[in-house]
């Protein structure tokens, strides 16, 4: 199309009203929630950007597929439809459904990881790292150098550091069960991984005789970035690029709650029939029979249809462009936003946003709470609280960056919603020095951002 305007490539048929609230109401609700937005009720939120996981709006074809879902315990027709779509896309013979991504991680790692193992990756998602640790292994992130430069643009900040991976494969060869690549790299800001980087990882895996696992949660967004940014891919479809990417992997773990446009579901896809047998035997104990894996038949059907839709270029163009559009506006006003834009959300460097707050005053929590108070926007802190800890002497330990993520649910919000979010961030940025920090009231022992409570500092 010739217009410069990129609009949402869908019409809205069913609407969910948003309850608009006042700042006074939100002030009370946030205090009642212990200043932790995870403890709010969803009706108390105006624009919910907590996560892009399981929050997509389904299409009319997906809703129709739900109706046609086959609820047979074994051999469901919906399973075989999903199997055919997934075999073609993920380029694997065996397709095992699971109830969500982490169940697939648990299943695969249970078979492949032994105590003392070291798992290298461009970036483990937090449940992935937790599942490695659960088996007595150590997750090791080897992000490329560009990943740590938040305000410097580079096309593929999700890449793994290849020399570091090679050195590790040489020094810890016996302890490494596989290499894990996450596309896009959620932990690194939803940044994409290039085809060149994935191919080079595959070559190293072949040289050192290690399987390559791809955590493909956001494979379609990653494929679109490859198409737009990597030399030689401009004329290929996102689907063809995704197929080339997945052909490199021995095993794919996948959460359907992201790029299957579904509200629940996941997959493990692989070639190795012998390993697949072991996984299916365990699946019966943990998730269910191998043609439903903890899901209703209708969920399998919705995932199959979502996998067809998510690789549509017009959808991906609108999706990636919405976040880019927000980031461009914030960047222009010097808001310390991670650049370039990631695939599923925008990330703000809270320490640089509130330069008057020290790390102990939790700038990330202050930013999340202020976005909620001023605009009813729910974001998530992925910084000093989520990834920090208190050591045995009571001294706080902080991660390198105190980030706040605003994740965009798929097909849920329009450009006007995006514009509103930008406006609230810009007005807050202009008054940043007026914002106070926070202290813990109750510090949760693990994954602190979910359940801790806070109080504003005087
Ligand atoms: C990269 C990545 N891997 C795995 C998972 C886990 O998927 P699920 O939430 O479906 O268990 C997530 C969830 O956000 C993720 O972002």
């Amino acid at each position: 199309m010739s217009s410069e305007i990129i609009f949402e490539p869908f019409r809205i048929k069913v609407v969910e009203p948003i309850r608009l609230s006042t700042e006074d109401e939100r002030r009370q609700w946030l205090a009642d929630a212990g200043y932790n937005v995870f403890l709010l009720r969803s009706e108390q939120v105006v624009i919910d950007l907590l996560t892009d996981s399981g929050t997509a709006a389904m299409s009319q074809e997906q809703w129709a597929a739900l109706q046609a879902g086959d609820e047979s315990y074994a051999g469901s027709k919906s399973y075989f439809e999903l199997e055919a779509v997934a075999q073609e896309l993920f380029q694997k013979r065996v397709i095992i459904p699971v109830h969500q991504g982490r169940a697939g991680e648990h299943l695969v790692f249970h078979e492949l990881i032994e105590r003392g193992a070291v798992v290298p990756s461009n970036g483990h998602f937090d449940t992935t790292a937790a599942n490695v640790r659960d088996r007595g292994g150590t997750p090791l992130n080897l992000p490329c150098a560009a990943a740590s430069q938040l305000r410097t643009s580079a096309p593929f900040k999700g890449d793994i550091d290849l020399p570091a991976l090679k050195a590790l494969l040489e020094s810890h060869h016996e302890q490494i069960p596989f290499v894990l690549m996450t596309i896009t790299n959620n932990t690194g800001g939803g940044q994409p991984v290039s085809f060149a980087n994935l191919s080079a990882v595959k070559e190293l895996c072949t040289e050192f005789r290690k399987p390559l696992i791809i955590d493909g949660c956001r494979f379609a967004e990653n494929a679109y970035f490859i198409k737009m940014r990597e030399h030689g891919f401009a004329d290929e479809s996102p689907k063809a690029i995704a197929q080339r990417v997945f052909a490199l992997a021995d095993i794919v773990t996948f959460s359907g709650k992201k790029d299957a446009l579904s509200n629940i579901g996941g997959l493990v896809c692989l070639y190795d029939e012998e390993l697949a047998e072991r996984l299916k035997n365990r699946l019966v104990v943990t998730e269910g029979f191998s043609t439903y894996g903890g899901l209703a038949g209708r969920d399998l059907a919705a995932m199959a249809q979502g996998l067809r839709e998510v690789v549509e270029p017009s959808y991906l163009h609108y999706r990636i462009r919405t976040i880019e559009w927000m980031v461009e506006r914030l960047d222009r006003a010097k808001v310390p936003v991670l650049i370039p834009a990631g695939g599923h959300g925008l990330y703000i460097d809270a320490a640089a946003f509130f330069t008057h707050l020290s790390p102990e005053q939790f700038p990330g929590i202050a930013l999340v709470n202020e976005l909620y108070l001023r605009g009813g926007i729910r974001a998530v802190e992925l910084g000093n609280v989520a990834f920090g800890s208190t050591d045995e002497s009571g001294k706080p330990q902080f991660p390198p960056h105190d980030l706040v993520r605003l994740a965009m649910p798929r097909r849920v919000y329009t450009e006007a919603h995006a514009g509103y979010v930008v406006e609230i961030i810009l007005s807050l940025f202009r008054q940043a020095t007026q914002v106070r920090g926070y202290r813990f009231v109750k510090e949760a022992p693990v994954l602190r951002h979910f359940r801790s409570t806070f109080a504003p500092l005087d």
Side-chain angles (χ1 to χ4, degrees):
M1 274 188 291
S2 55
S3 169
E4 291 282 300
I5 294 176
I6 296 148
F7 56 79
E8 293 78 9
F10 46 81
R11 295 194 295 182
I12 297 166
K13 182 144 45 184
V14 176
V15 294
E16 179 183 351
I18 295 176
R19 155 91 156 85
L20 301 178
S21 47
T22 63
E23 189 167 335
D24 282 344
E25 283 177 315
R26 293 194 291 269
R27 204 162 283 288
Q28 185 59 51
W29 292 332
L30 189 63
D32 293 346
Y35 295 94
N36 181 344
V37 294
F38 273 97
L39 305 178
L40 292 169
R41 288 166 177 255
S42 62
E43 310 99 280
Q44 296 167 339
V45 177
V46 178
I47 306 271
D48 204 346
L49 307 184
L50 190 68
T51 177
D52 66 320
S53 179
T55 51
M58 290 203 295
S59 66
Q60 58 184 0
E61 285 75 16
Q62 284 179 294
W63 283 105
L66 289 188
Q67 288 289 326
D70 173 2
E71 302 304 338
S72 305
Y73 189 97
S76 158
K77 177 169 151 277
S78 303
Y79 169 75
F80 291 111
E81 281 168 12
L82 173 61
E83 184 191 44
V85 173
Q87 280 175 330
E88 198 212 350
L89 189 60
F90 296 107
Q91 302 280 294
K92 303 287 165 269
R93 192 167 30 229
V94 186
I95 307 296
I96 302 176
V98 286
H99 84 271
Q100 65 181 88
R102 68 199 70 181
E105 293 163 0
H106 178 79
L107 201 64
V108 173
F109 296 178
H110 190 269
E111 290 302 320
L112 299 187
I113 298 183
E114 287 176 0
R115 185 158 293 283
V118 175
V119 177
S121 175
N122 58 333
H124 293 79
F125 178 63
D126 55 21
T127 64
T128 323
N131 270 303
V132 172
R133 290 198 189 95
D134 190 52
R135 298 294 303 150
T138 304
L140 198 62
N141 289 345
L142 304 172
C144 66
S148 61
Q149 308 300 315
L150 302 185
R151 299 283 296 144
T152 309
S153 190
F156 290 105
K157 283 182 165 181
D159 283 355
I160 198 167
D161 179 340
L162 290 166
L165 176 62
K166 182 157 199 245
L168 191 78
L169 284 162
E170 280 162 354
S171 62
H172 288 68
H173 186 260
E174 294 309 313
Q175 285 162 270
I176 297 177
F178 53 81
V179 177
L180 178 89
M181 292 295 287
T182 310
I183 61 171
T184 56
N185 190 345
N186 186 2
T187 309
Q191 297 289 318
V193 185
S194 65
F195 188 77
N197 191 257
L198 287 161
S199 305
V201 171
K202 178 65 180 175
E203 274 173 34
L204 285 175
C205 286
T206 308
E207 182 187 338
F208 288 90
R209 296 183 312 286
K210 300 292 175 191
L212 170 60
I213 299 186
I214 292 185
D215 172 345
C217 291
R218 299 179 179 85
F219 74 93
E221 291 165 10
N222 201 79
Y224 194 72
F225 279 122
I226 290 177
K227 180 178 170 65
M228 300 311 285
R229 295 184 185 169
E230 194 162 353
H231 181 68
F233 289 90
D235 296 332
E236 285 198 39
S237 69
K239 180 176 170 185
I241 296 170
Q243 287 170 318
R244 283 179 65 181
V245 164
F246 284 130
L248 300 170
D250 297 281
I251 302 174
V252 176
T253 54
F254 177 66
S255 164
K257 297 172 73 176
K258 287 85 175 171
D259 273 352
L261 299 170
S262 299
N263 304 123
I264 196 70
L267 297 172
V268 175
C269 314
L270 70 166
Y271 247 109
D272 182 339
E273 301 270 5
E274 189 271 326
L275 175 60
E277 271 312 294
R278 285 191 275 144
L279 297 183
K280 286 181 187 176
N281 285 334
R282 189 159 167 81
L283 189 79
V284 184
V285 181
T286 57
E287 296 277 287
F289 188 64
S290 55
T291 59
Y292 77 88
L295 293 168
R298 54 179 172 269
D299 300 326
L300 302 170
M303 254 210 294
Q305 180 57 27
L307 286 173
R308 291 189 193 104
E309 293 172 13
V310 77
V311 287
E312 272 298 313
S314 61
Y315 158 74
L316 285 168
H317 190 41
Y318 134 80
R319 165 107 183 123
I320 302 295
R321 184 61 202 142
T322 305
I323 298 162
E324 257 175 16
W325 181 89
M326 297 169 84
V327 166
E328 279 168 10
R329 271 148 190 80
L330 296 170
D331 187 39
R332 219 178 284 149
K334 306 264 182 297
V335 175
V337 64
L338 177 82
I339 54 167
H344 64 288
L346 60 95
Y347 290 66
I348 299 174
D349 179 355
F353 197 100
F354 292 131
T355 45
H356 63 294
L357 297 182
S358 67
E360 292 78 9
Q361 296 174 326
F362 300 131
I365 295 295
L367 181 51
V368 166
N369 286 346
E370 213 58 34
L371 289 174
Y372 176 69
L373 291 172
R374 289 172 183 238
I377 300 162
R378 179 154 68 167
V380 62
E381 193 255 23
L382 293 174
N384 293 355
V385 171
F387 301 124
S389 57
T390 308
D391 72 12
E392 277 152 22
S393 67
K395 202 163 165 272
Q397 305 290 323
F398 298 122
H401 302 294
D402 191 21
L403 296 180
V404 166
R405 182 186 76 183
L406 290 87
M408 292 300 278
R410 293 170 179 78
R411 303 192 293 207
V412 170
Y413 293 116
T414 64
E415 185 180 324
H417 294 115
Y420 169 79
V421 171
V422 168
E423 194 182 293
I424 295 289
I425 298 172
L426 291 178
S427 77
L428 171 59
F429 190 54
R430 287 191 289 270
Q431 296 167 358
T433 51
Q434 296 171 13
V435 172
R436 287 175 299 165
Y438 284 82
R439 63 176 172 81
F440 275 122
V441 171
K442 192 184 84 192
E443 180 183 349
V446 283
L447 294 171
R448 304 191 299 179
H449 52 312
F450 288 115
R451 306 211 57 252
S452 296
T453 54
F454 305 89
L457 293 169
D458 298 329

